[in-house]
Amino acid sequence: MRLSRYFMPILKENPKEAEIVSHRLMLRAGMIRQQSQGIYSWLPLGKRVLDKVNAIIREEQNRAGAIELSMPTLQSAELWQESGRYDAYGKEMLRIKDRQDRPMLYGPTNEEMVTDIFRSSIKSYKDLPLNLYHIQLKFRDEIRPRFGTMRSREFMMKDAYSFDLTREGAEHSYNKMFVAYLRTFDRLGLRAIPMRADTGPIGGKLSHEFIILADTGESEVFCHKDFVDFDIPGEHTDFDSVEGLQAIFDKWTSLYAATSEMHDEAAFNAVPEGDRLSARGIEVGHIFYFGTKYSEPMGAKVQGPDGKEHFVHMGSYGIGPTRLVPAIIEASHDDNGIIWPASVAPFDIVVINMKAGDQACDDTCELIYAALTKAGKDVLYDDTDDRAGTKFATADLIGVPVQIIAGPRAVANGEVEVKDRKTGARETMTIEAAINRFVA
Ligand code: P5A
């Protein structure tokens, strides 16, 4: 991508409305734009990051056996009347009427709709277990939308829903998502700790929030400090092994970890003082097991091996991609801007032409840009005629992991500079060596 032809509206000044660093940096880097309170557009740079986050989420959902579909954002109120949540959900639900005066709503979550899909086609235990997910916009009319896309009214959610014949089966489905979440957040460069959590309007008794420790987090959390160094299950984890997944779940729930709603002061005080971590955190995921809470009132049942009808046991599993992006920034930035983990960086490499219009600089940059693009890298080429200082500031701000800098003096020697955004380390090398370093 040539910057001269891209749309990346950088702000020079710090936006006044932004209270936390991620919101400030997302606005300054031209990643998002507020359209109305708690409702955002994702501009091209932000969209690239969001897409990469979603690609990782999707890979790990698929690995764990979940199947992707797509459900609408607008739902009929009737479904929610069936489950009894239409009235219970309260003012967070945006209620709408269509032209026939039929009550509709902008979905805050999809338990009812997916239960309806399930009951319309699955009749036998032989078709279980089943886990269906989508990555879709949601709307919750939050009282206090704030911190940009961290807590917005319209936001994106990956929501998965599992169906099993028995409670034991449902627990295995829960463990699959538990492990998939550990892997997902790790691949996003984050350490998320599963904590016992309140189930709120989704319901059920068993639930874990996945929390990233951050001073700017909205939740108050308490946990054992060893969680910070626990090993993440590898990519060859066998998701069909009931015992294997149970062992991972048991390990990750063996030490104290709870959000403030579930906090048990006495149990926490039993943790040796030096091991206690009481901190603030960002909830990036939340998983639930709620048994037959929706299947019973909505009549979602299957015939079991005993020939009888059984209401299915369900769970639901949410991740907030539009919250994850600012959460990653909270965890990874410095005074100059964002430092993206390579897995979600909007571009892999930025090529900085320090003197656009200078034949040798232009030729060198074009050569590098073409070679790296051909090798499958996402390359941003800063071919604008901005001052070199402005270009460096922009490159640091948008946090691309590698900068290749071509200035007239180095280029005259057939060389460029390669800068690592995270460490700030710079290395001068030949143009060929710079290309070869990134062409696997
Ligand atoms: C689980 C999937 C649910 O809604 N139903 C379907 C269950 N869970 S949840 O905890 O309420 O939300 C899941 C995740 O969505 C993100 N999230 C938000 N992100 C940005 N702004 C918001 N206002 C917002 N509300 C929820 C969080 O990451 C949460 O863990």
Side-chain angles (χ1 to χ4, degrees), residues 389-406:
T390 306
K391 293 189 178 195
F392 295 146
T394 299
D396 279 357
L397 173 65
I398 66 171
V400 174
V402 175
Q403 302 172 8
I404 300 182
I405 303 161

Side-chain angles (χ1 to χ4, degrees), residues 2 138 172 174 177 204-205 210 219 247 277 304 309 319 329 345 361 377 436:
R2 286 167 201 275
K138 302 277 181 280
H172 181 51
Y174 187 92
M177 289 292 109
K205 288 210 176 65
F210 286 75
S219 322
L277 211 67
E309 303 252 274
I319 292 183
I329 298 174
C361 284
K377 298 287 170 196
N436 286 340

Side-chain angles (χ1 to χ4, degrees), residues 373-403:
T373 303
K374 189 161 168 242
K377 298 287 170 196
D378 279 335
V379 187
L380 180 66
Y381 171 24
D382 189 345
D383 59 342
T384 63
D385 44 26
D386 285 340
R387 287 182 312 110
T390 306
K391 293 189 178 195
F392 295 146
T394 299
D396 279 357
L397 173 65
I398 66 171
V400 174
V402 175
Q403 302 172 8

